[in-house]
């Protein structure tokens, strides 16, 4: 019915059906829509029709599209639904999505929401929320099918049929032994090709790639990419299977981690999106800016220390922003290479050394080229001595800046600190300060030697 | 056999088996390993054993692990294999991986590699390579199973069994009509639950989410995330099904796009990884640095223009790096928020305006706080007038910097230019220049008014 209709036509038809109180028509209209599209319909619906819409659609449709909404919208809907229907929805929601929804709510609000749920489900969710954030345990769900190693293929297929709903997304069954330990995996394809009376333990793969509940989510993403998996089993303690992580959640992890890298590299403050309130965004950015302000004062006092030199040759100040900017930038370039390289690859000591040497060469090459360019310009503009000072300073600061941008994140990585932190503040500052010291240091030296030419 | 063995033990056993010429033992040792792990084994193998290793393993194992290697390693292996075996491997490789391998090779090298392949396969690959890079057509593959809309469920299941190898990764069958047009999808689950004699056209979903061959890969990633799909069908011309894009490739797209954003935001040059040669890396970074150098000279000439003011009050130079740095940073912060926000969400005019207003407020809040802090410090350090100059300049430059960092990328986005480009150079420069003009402009004004207090 809805196939040939545009989204706007569907919205109109829904409003019509709601007004006439035809629940079935509403459900039929939504039948071929994906949860995301139902969510879009909900957002386009006039506010006065929303409550009725929620009561018209099926529980599965409701649960599906709630997952697509922002947290605040979700809570608003649960409030509109009332406690009884809310409980039914929560029972149907995936545990990881639910845990995510509950995170950061007030404790008594959580208790209220969980109290109506089936005890078993509620325990699982509370259990999930106990794992540290950004670990495998926190993002796993329990929508998978396990089979016993002693099953026949026929028994496995029967179980798969019974739990088809759970198995929709996957193409593997996980095999456990009597102690619920993970001992193997069987693909649907292998089931299809095997004889019905084969034993699972004879056809399964027993070398299972898995992660521990406490594994960092970034590590899980690396493994799933490496093996091109759709899902990854999660074990606890002594190899007990407790959940799986699916690739759709991993895409979100990858984007989240990339955003975190960018936030740190651009020193732009945690988790600011289009909906963040101004004072929250300002609050999250201020620490970086205040840090930079203090750092700027350090630069200031360095310049202050050289004010005798500057007073003699004001022209020195003209090149100051350029030298500081270039040094900061070459450092950031190296830093970005290191931080993003580590997303896909681990580095041992030998490889780190190789990388440092590579960057040293890069620093030397760009240092020489830029130094020659700026020397020519500076000589023409302000004379030989200034040209010599600016050129030699730039050569030196570019090499040092490149090395700092490489070595500092590698050292942090070695000590298990996220190298992206070494960004905005640390490297830019260090390079700022170093470049000013080198520039004015060289200038002071030259000027005391050649002051008769200059003055 | 290999289950209880560590990776090193497997390597040793492989070397032993190669020495004894036992091909079957080598293949058995690798049986339970994933392609990535076989690739690791290959890398750990002493070089002198590698050729024999390649000849010992099965064609499937060979094809699988080659995909896990870097391009140079792949070409090295193909060279080692000789033309005949290479052809067999290429026939088995996924088309998108093959197209990827061939990209950037010399034309006659491509011809040589493709010439031995089955004509049909070779045509498909050449066809793929004709699509622009970073489009759906370039990253799609043809490892999917299609069925006719008039099939019964039984016929569909039979076809699925015959092509089980292709269907391993998916959980949908794509339904086409007699013109090969995509008309629906059926999930494996629906097949499992339906009656064997149901018609496919009666149980399929006909509202198919799909993309065109020319759709940007970033857009495909957005859709796959939105719908939590494992794969997305790709159509050409008049809805003809020509391939699918699988989620494992999408994860790579997401990471690649994040890296590109970071490269642009940090102005660090395209595609530099740990293996890039120094002169290549230097060559890719130099354009940005040279641009920054020229920009630095513009800042320099602005300062030059104000040298009369500076000569009167050298202390002004102390706060110069701080003001330029803070303005640049607040601009980058806003830019990062816009660029990353657009990864997950599209913005219309109304939402853009809302975002600009939000950032204006952020600029005002951080401007006021930072201005008060620096005024106090500057008054104590250098006196009232300097304090007033520095404080009012910082307030103004922070507000302007924040707005520039928001509005410029939004305008570029509106005109379909990647907003991340607006990064390093454009915004930092603009903010550098604006901040110097404002700072020295205000200073000149104040000093001409209050020169009797200062001098």
């Amino acid at each position: 019915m809805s196939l040939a209709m545009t989204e706007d036509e569907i919205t109109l038809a829904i409003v019509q059906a709601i007004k006439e109180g035809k629940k079935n028509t509403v459900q039929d209209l939504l039948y071929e829509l994906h949860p995301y599209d139902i969510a879009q319909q909900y957002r386009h619906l006039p506010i006065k029709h929303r409550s009725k819409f929620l009561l018209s659609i099926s529980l599965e449709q409701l649960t599906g599209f709630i997952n697509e909404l922002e947290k605040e919208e979700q809570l608003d809907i649960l409030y509109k639904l009332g406690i009884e229907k809310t409980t039914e929805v929560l029972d149907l929601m995936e545990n990881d999505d639910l845990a995510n929804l509950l995170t950061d709510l007030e404790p008594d609000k959580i208790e209220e929401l969980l109290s109506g749920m089936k005890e078993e489900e509620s325990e699982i969710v509370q259990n999930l929320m106990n794992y540290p954030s950004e670990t495998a345990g926190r993002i796993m769900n329990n929508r998978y099918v396990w089979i016993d190693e002693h099953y026949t293929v026929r028994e496995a297929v029967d179980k798969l049929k019974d739990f088809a709903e759970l198995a929709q997304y996957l193409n593997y069954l996980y095999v456990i032994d009597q102690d619920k330990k993970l001992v193997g995996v069987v693909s649907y394809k292998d089931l299809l090709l095997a004889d019905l009376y084969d034993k699972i333990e004879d056809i399964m793969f027993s070398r299972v790639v898995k992660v521990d509940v406490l594994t960092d989510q970034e590590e899980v993403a690396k493994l799933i990419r490496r093996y091109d998996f759709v899902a990854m089993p999660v074990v606890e303690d002594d190899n007990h299977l407790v959940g799986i992580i699916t690739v759709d959640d991993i895409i979100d992890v990858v984007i989240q981690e990339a955003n975190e890298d960018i936030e740190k590299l651009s020193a732009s403050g945690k988790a600011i999106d289009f909906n963040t309130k101004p004072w929250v965004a300002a609050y999250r950015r201020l620490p970086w800016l205040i840090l930079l302000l203090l750092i700027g004062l350090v630069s200031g006092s360095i310049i202050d220390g050289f004010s005798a030199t500057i007073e003699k040759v004001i022209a020195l100040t003209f090149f100051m922003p350029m030298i500081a900017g270039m040094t900061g930038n070459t450092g950031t370039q190296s830093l970005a290479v290191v931080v993003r390289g580590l997303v896909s690859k681990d580095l041992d000591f030998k490889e780190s050394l190789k990388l440092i040497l590579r960057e040293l060469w890069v620093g030397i090459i760009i240092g020489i080229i830029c130094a020659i360019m700026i020397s020519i310009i500076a000589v023409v503009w302000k004379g030989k001595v200034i040209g010599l000072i600016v050129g030699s300073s730039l050569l030196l600061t570019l090499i040092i800046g490149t090395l700092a941008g490489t070595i500092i994140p590698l050292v942090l990585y070695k000590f298990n600190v996220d190298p992206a932190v070494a960004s905005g503040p640390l490297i830019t500052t260090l390079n700022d300060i170093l470049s000013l010291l080198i520039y004015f240091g060289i200038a002071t030296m030259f000027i005391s030697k050649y002051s008769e030419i200059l003055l």
Side-chain angles (χ1 to χ4, degrees), chain A residues 222-246:
Chain A
K222 218 183 251 182
L223 285 172
I224 284 202
R225 273 183 78 200
R226 188 171 282 176
Y227 292 109
D228 288 343
F229 285 160
V230 174
M232 175 78 88
V234 183
V235 296
E236 191 168 33
D237 299 331
D238 206 15
N239 210 16
H240 280 86
L241 181 62
V242 290
I244 63 163
I245 294 172
T246 45

Side-chain angles (χ1 to χ4, degrees), chain A residues 311-326:
Chain A
E311 257 176 87
K312 278 190 205 141
V313 191
I314 289 283
L316 284 174
T317 57
F318 309 161
F319 298 97
M320 203 170 74
M322 188 272 297
I323 286 187
M326 298 274 290

Side-chain angles (χ1 to χ4, degrees), chain A residues 239-374:
Chain A
N239 210 16
H240 280 86
L241 181 62
V242 290
I244 63 163
I245 294 172
T246 45
V247 69
D248 55 319
D249 291 327
I250 285 303
I251 294 194
D252 296 335
V253 167
V254 167
I255 290 188
Q256 188 193 333
E257 297 284 343
N259 285 351
E260 285 179 14
D261 278 353
I262 291 178
E263 282 157 13
K264 288 172 198 150
L265 284 172
S266 64
S268 64
K270 226 176 135 78
I272 298 171
D273 63 27
F274 293 162
N275 297 316
T276 312
K277 298 267 175 296
W279 49 90
V280 178
Y283 176 78
R284 288 186 181 154
R285 288 189 198 168
L286 265 173
W288 289 117
L289 290 171
I290 291 176
L291 199 66
L292 283 167
L293 195 149
L294 297 177
I295 285 163
L297 291 177
V298 176
S299 304
S301 47
I302 291 175
I303 302 173
D304 196 8
F306 287 104
S307 53
T309 306
I310 297 173
E311 257 176 87
K312 278 190 205 141
V313 191
I314 289 283
L316 284 174
T317 57
F318 309 161
F319 298 97
M320 203 170 74
M322 188 272 297
I323 286 187
M326 298 274 290
T327 313
N329 193 263
T330 190
T332 310
Q333 289 184 336
S334 300
L335 176 67
V337 170
V338 175
V339 167
R340 290 311 286 178
L342 290 172
V343 169
S344 312
K345 211 177 161 200
D346 303 311
L347 281 185
D348 59 24
F349 183 73
K350 213 181 112 194
E351 291 167 312
S352 304
L353 214 64
K354 213 183 112 198
L355 181 65
I356 293 173
L357 264 178
R358 200 273 306 270
E359 290 294 310
L360 173 61
W361 276 112
V362 172
I364 292 174
I365 297 171
I366 58 180
I368 290 176
I369 294 176
C370 293
I372 291 176
M373 286 184 62
I374 199 66

Side-chain angles (χ1 to χ4, degrees), chain A residues 424-442:
Chain A
L426 232 171
I427 290 192
T428 312
T429 317
L430 208 78
N431 282 347
D432 248 28
I433 294 175
L434 282 176
S435 65
L436 289 175
L437 282 176
I438 291 173
Y439 178 49
F440 286 118
I442 290 181

